[in-house]
Amino acid sequence: MASATQATLSLFAAPLPAKPRSLTIRCLKSTTRTTNPPIVGRKLRAAVIGAGPAGSSAAEALAAGGVECFMFERSGPSTAKPCGGAIPLCMLDEFDIPSHLIDRQVTRMRIFSPSNLAVDFGKTLLPHEFIAMLRREVLDSYLRTRAQSRGANLISGLVTDLEVPTSVDAPYVISYTADNKRESLAVDVVIGADGANSRVSKSIKAGDYACAIAFQERIKLPDDKMDYYQDLAEMYVGNDVSPDFYAWVFPKCDHVAVGTGTVCSKQDIKVFQRAIRARAHSKISGGKVIKVEAHPIPEHPRPTRVRGRVALVGDAAGYVTKCSGEGIYFAAKSGRLCGEAIVKASEGGERMINEGDLKREYLKEWDGKYITTFRFLDLLQKVFYGSDAAREALVELCGDEYVQRMTFESYLYKKLADGNRWEDAKMVLNTVGSLVRCNILGKKMQGLKL
Amino acid sequence: MSISMALLSPTTHLPTLSPSSSHFKPLLTHKPFLSLRPKNHPLFTIRASAENGAGALGSVATAVEPKAEPEVPVPAAEAVPVKSESSAGANGSPGTAEEVSVVNLFEDGRWVNGTWDLKQFEKNGKTDWDAVIDAEARRRKWLQDNPESSSNGNPVSFDTSIVPWWAWIKRYHLPEAEILNGRAAMIGFFMAYFVDSLTGVGLVDQMGNFFCKTLLFIAVGGVLLIRKNEDVENLKKLLEETTFYDKQWQATWQEETPASSSKKK
């Protein structure tokens, strides 16, 4: 294998022309990509570290575009990931996910305020609309297999290091362990899709981000209690269950996942978990805990998402929305966008690409498309998750049908739902009104403490 | 140790509370008890120890007590004068396999079927909205300290929008508005006098001057935004917070080294 690596490395040494400076300065002035040097004798080689939704989508886009692609995945195909497992409708369409993978179609959502005011979401859903709940291992292996069928090569192994080249034309060398053997692979481009504790991001010194911790217990319920959660997911807000996020009871294939999350009080997560079990007590009592899991969830993008010819996608880049903590769709979409960007910039694997290409084709596109969504959800989280009073206001507002319709449409289709200006104005007034009223009550409550 | 203390405290405290309950008569019967309560931050840890030990002892007293160590009057306070303390014992039957989560539920005669029975709040033939607001604040405060399990049997359906808008305005907006207008008037009068004494420009002529109009705008804005001393700091923090997330997104565009071969547009 040493000779094999030497051979691959030599493959790199020969064809790349040594014309760094002048070429790239020309890149500055011209906007066409034809200034990238063509690769002779082989296609552009890309490595995708991590083969979850982000990695698989990136690999699929790369392979379909003609780029030679290697996926690295350390877990086996049936490892369950600690995850909500909910995906929006648009993902089913955009990623052609067959319906037999879907465990449950959630059409009702119930949200509970700190004072247990319960509001039912979902009255406005059309018959064909639902939130799909899947098992992550099922979805991930489907996407992975599909990427493989398009031509991506899957390497089951753990990536231990990514060596960043010191000169512009040298390749990136990935050291990995597969079948108890240490190997390495030299590639031109790397896509880091390896999740919240990304190794790639450490290697390129992409910086750190604040993480929330999501903790959940999978509980198997007796049949009659499970029926209640047939197509219903629940969300609980309150300082007792989470000081800055929400707690949930989500139905999965044959059990429910009861969990909570927090950013600022990670050490109290078990306390919050106990609290959510208490809040949902009457509905989950008698159940048996079959698994306990926790995972970090990024709160915001990393300071650097592209460096050299390495791009981060999915959780590694920090594409998780605030307020709802949704990450699967954005992971898959960013993976696909990045893969397509590389294909376009390299003209189907024929040319080398550079950092500018990645930033222009992938980052700029991504930011342009989704930054408003992320900003808006951040605003919602700041306004409504800050205090119990604000959470009460949130639940009150959710009772309004227009709000429900807008929320679901934006969630299911990832597009700003177009509403009625008049209703929008009413919604804003109602928001202000609810916030004012609940804050007044909140101030009274504080007064009572003394 | 907390449990033994727990067993002792109900007996020592309750008798002192019940006679005093008869002294506090007004319609806001619960207020005095709640006002006696000191802060109880160790809520979670105390509750945890209660659950660990409560497997063997399944009564309300022990479960409530650790929680209520700093706030013993709770079971007595929430038992409305109509009910006796024994009712607190009645609803505390634990029945679960995994955790004994024995909680004292919120009880109030006027809280019926998950909402306030407005008929019980009538004063002079009209609903006393102030009392409704007070009662709701008390209920939320209670729940904040003793979170209850949500149950399908008694869903909560009280919404603050049930209280009409004019009740809120009369009680909360008008006093504040009076204060703010008073401040604005005082500032306005003295600024007008001051400017007049310095420049000789009278009030009517001041209004025509651009600089004076700017000062007026700043004065009004200041009165509206800065109502308490803490507001200055809060506003600065708010401004920083609103732009923080955006900065995190733009960070990747910010880092550009001169030697890098890439340039965005």
Side-chain angles (χ1 to χ4, degrees):
Chain A
M1 32 217 129
S3 52
T5 25
Q6 271 184 354
T8 40
L9 281 173
S10 61
L11 221 57
F12 275 83
L16 288 178
K19 285 210 292 241
R21 276 298 162 225
S22 52
L23 209 61
T24 48
I25 292 177
R26 243 190 287 150
C27 258
L28 286 178
K29 301 212 186 110
S30 92
T31 48
T32 66
R33 278 152 254 107
T34 48
T35 47
N36 276 332
I39 310 174
V40 179
R42 62 178 182 88
K43 292 277 193 158
L44 184 74
R45 179 182 288 188
V48 178
I49 320 289
S56 308
S57 309
E60 192 180 336
L62 285 169
V67 173
E68 187 186 3
C69 169
F70 291 87
M71 282 190 289
F72 288 84
E73 176 56 53
R74 65 176 175 184
S75 330
S78 40
T79 323
K81 278 201 186 154
C83 178
I87 61 177
L89 265 187
C90 58
M91 183 162 178
L92 299 176
D93 292 329
E94 289 177 32
F95 290 85
D96 299 311
I97 297 186
S99 44
H100 67 84
L101 297 182
I102 301 175
D103 286 332
R104 240 170 237 281
Q105 302 185 343
V106 166
T107 50
R108 289 185 302 143
M109 181 105 161
R110 193 166 278 176
I111 174 167
F112 290 85
S113 78
S115 68
N116 282 332
L117 174 65
V119 163
D120 273 328
F121 247 91
K123 300 183 255 203
T124 55
L125 281 180
L126 299 174
H128 66 276
E129 293 178 340
F130 54 88
I131 302 176
M133 306 291 291
L134 315 107
R135 269 163 290 172
R136 277 297 301 277
E137 59 270 25
V138 168
L139 175 69
D140 289 0
S141 57
Y142 173 76
L143 290 175
R144 202 173 298 162
T145 325
R146 201 167 67 185
Q148 281 179 290
S149 67
R150 293 297 207 119
N153 306 295
L154 175 66
I155 300 180
S156 295
L158 172 68
V159 169
T160 49
D161 191 33
L162 170 68
E163 187 191 304
V164 177
T166 38
S167 72
V168 179
D169 354 301
Y172 287 88
V173 179
I174 298 170
S175 316
Y176 64 98
T177 321
D179 294 329
N180 287 326
K181 294 199 289 275
R182 307 196 49 211
E183 319 224 2
S184 59
L185 179 71
V187 296
D188 300 308
V189 182
V190 178
I191 296 186
D194 43 349
N197 299 315
S198 166
R199 182 128 243 330
V200 175
S201 69
K202 285 198 194 79
S203 306
I204 64 171
K205 299 194 186 40
D208 232 343
Y209 47 28
C211 275
I213 182 168
F215 184 96
Q216 83 178 358
E217 290 173 328
R218 296 183 189 238
I219 298 184
K220 193 133 172 62
L221 293 179
D223 286 333
D224 52 327
K225 295 225 157 116
M226 197 63 215
D227 273 339
Y228 170 70
Y229 287 108
Q230 177 69 16
D231 56 356
L232 169 73
E234 289 181 333
M235 240 176 90
Y236 292 81
V237 288
N239 262 333
D240 54 331
V241 294
S242 171
D244 49 7
F245 204 56
Y246 63 88
W248 61 85
V249 178
F250 285 163
K252 291 194 177 290
C253 48
D254 59 352
H255 56 275
V256 290
V258 178
T260 178
T262 175
V263 182
C264 57
S265 316
K266 298 197 180 81
Q267 66 275 17
D268 294 327
I269 190 72
K270 296 262 177 72
V271 172
F272 298 140
Q273 180 66 16
R274 242 197 304 272
I276 172 66
R277 291 258 290 262
R279 280 269 281 235
H281 179 70
S282 54
K283 290 169 272 194
I284 61 170
S285 67
K288 206 165 78 76
V289 177
I290 54 180
K291 194 165 181 201
V292 178
E293 50 198 9
H295 201 69
I297 297 183
E299 282 289 291
H300 61 82
R302 283 193 200 268
T304 310
R305 289 175 269 151
V306 164
R307 181 169 278 151
R309 280 171 272 132
V310 182
L312 296 174
V313 294
D315 270 12
Y319 295 143
V320 176
T321 61
K322 292 219 168 180
C323 202
S324 62
E326 187 195 348
I328 306 181
Y329 174 74
F330 293 104
K333 196 83 179 151
S334 62
R336 176 181 278 188
L337 204 64
C338 189
E340 286 172 355
I342 294 177
V343 167
K344 184 163 171 213
S346 69
E347 291 175 14
E350 304 293 336
R351 292 183 180 277
M352 185 52 67
I353 65 168
N354 58 38
E355 185 177 319
D357 293 324
L358 281 176
K359 284 194 166 177
R360 185 188 57 240
E361 299 293 336
Y362 156 55
L363 269 195
K364 206 142 84 84
E365 288 282 323
W366 178 260
D367 280 8
K369 255 181 124 139
Y370 291 113
I371 197 170
T372 328
T373 311
F374 279 83
R375 273 204 205 113
F376 182 65
L377 286 169
D378 173 60
L379 178 68
L380 282 189
Q381 167 150 329
K382 276 209 196 64
V383 172
F384 288 115
Y385 281 18
S387 64
D388 267 354
R391 294 182 193 115
E392 296 277 355
L394 170 70
V395 179
E396 267 185 33
L397 284 170
C398 289
D400 180 42
E401 274 206 25
Y402 182 70
V403 171
Q404 289 189 14
R405 187 166 76 81
M406 291 281 112
T407 311
F408 262 123
E409 277 190 20
S410 315
Y411 171 75
L412 290 175
Y413 302 111
K414 292 289 171 286
K415 276 203 301 266
L416 211 58
D418 58 0
N420 182 337
R421 294 285 148 254
W422 184 236
E423 298 274 347
D424 274 341
K426 260 182 24 183
M427 183 170 73
V428 170
L429 285 179
N430 277 335
T431 311
V432 173
S434 279
L435 279 170
V436 166
R437 291 195 298 259
C438 289
N439 274 314
I440 289 177
L441 275 177
K443 281 203 205 80
K444 274 202 77 69
M445 281 158 64
Q446 282 187 329
L448 286 176
K449 215 197 286 212
L450 310 163
Chain B
M1 35 99 206
S2 59
I3 298 188
S4 48
M5 233 166 81
L7 289 170
L8 286 179
S9 12
T11 47
T12 48
H13 284 261
L14 286 176
T16 55
L17 255 319
S18 15
S20 53
S21 69
S22 56
H23 295 316
F24 297 90
K25 259 202 55 301
L27 36 109
L28 313 173
T29 46
H30 296 234
K31 205 165 176 177
F33 296 100
L34 290 165
S35 57
L36 291 175
R37 253 191 274 182
K39 278 182 175 230
N40 63 325
H41 274 299
L43 170 66
F44 287 123
T45 46
I46 291 176
R47 209 153 169 226
S49 61
E51 283 170 359
N52 285 338
L57 325 152
S59 73
V60 173
T62 47
V64 168
E65 260 320 306
K67 222 180 344 231
E69 243 170 355
E71 39 173 277
V72 173
V74 158
E78 274 315 322
V80 169
V82 177
K83 299 185 175 190
S84 65
E85 275 107 36
S86 58
S87 72
N91 62 13
S93 44
T96 66
E98 349 176 279
E99 275 184 6
V100 184
S101 44
V102 184
V103 210
N104 212 16
L105 296 177
F106 176 74
E107 301 278 353
D108 187 313
R110 299 166 297 178
W111 178 258
V112 170
N113 277 340
T115 187
W116 293 103
D117 184 4
L118 297 174
K119 284 201 264 312
Q120 299 195 34
F121 285 93
E122 289 203 7
K123 191 168 85 160
N124 306 331
K126 286 200 296 226
T127 340
D128 180 4
W129 295 111
D130 290 347
V132 176
I133 295 175
D134 286 336
E136 178 63 13
R138 219 166 300 114
R139 181 182 77 92
R140 290 190 182 182
K141 180 73 195 143
W142 166 259
L143 285 175
Q144 196 174 57
D145 297 332
N146 312 288
E148 256 177 42
S149 147
S150 63
S151 75
N152 299 329
N154 6 318
V156 171
S157 61
F158 179 77
D159 198 331
T160 55
S161 50
I162 288 175
V163 180
W165 60 274
W166 52 261
W168 296 98
I169 290 189
K170 205 170 91 178
R171 187 139 178 229
Y172 296 100
H173 176 76
L174 294 183
E176 181 89 5
E178 191 180 341
I179 292 175
L180 294 182
N181 275 291
R183 285 184 192 160
M186 287 187 271
I187 293 177
F189 175 74
F190 282 105
M191 286 304 292
Y193 187 89
F194 189 56
V195 172
D196 193 350
S197 68
L198 281 183
T199 61
V201 178
L203 181 61
V204 177
D205 294 324
Q206 275 180 41
M207 285 298 103
N209 182 318
F210 176 72
F211 179 62
C212 291
K213 279 195 209 144
T214 317
L215 278 184
L216 173 70
F217 184 72
I218 295 174
V220 170
V223 165
L224 282 176
L225 292 174
I226 304 177
R227 303 187 189 188
K228 298 202 289 276
N229 283 342
E230 300 84 42
D231 282 346
V232 183
E233 275 308 312
N234 288 348
L235 285 176
K236 274 200 259 178
K237 264 201 300 190
L238 197 67
L239 196 63
E240 208 218 89
E241 261 182 35
T242 43
T243 50
F244 184 55
Y245 190 60
D246 211 29
K247 284 202 203 95
Q248 288 168 332
W249 270 83
Q250 305 300 354
T252 197
W253 298 104
Q254 251 48 298
E255 75 99 41
E256 300 262 319
T257 61
S260 114
S261 61
S262 73
K263 270 284 172 272
K264 58 182 172 80
K265 59 145 176 55

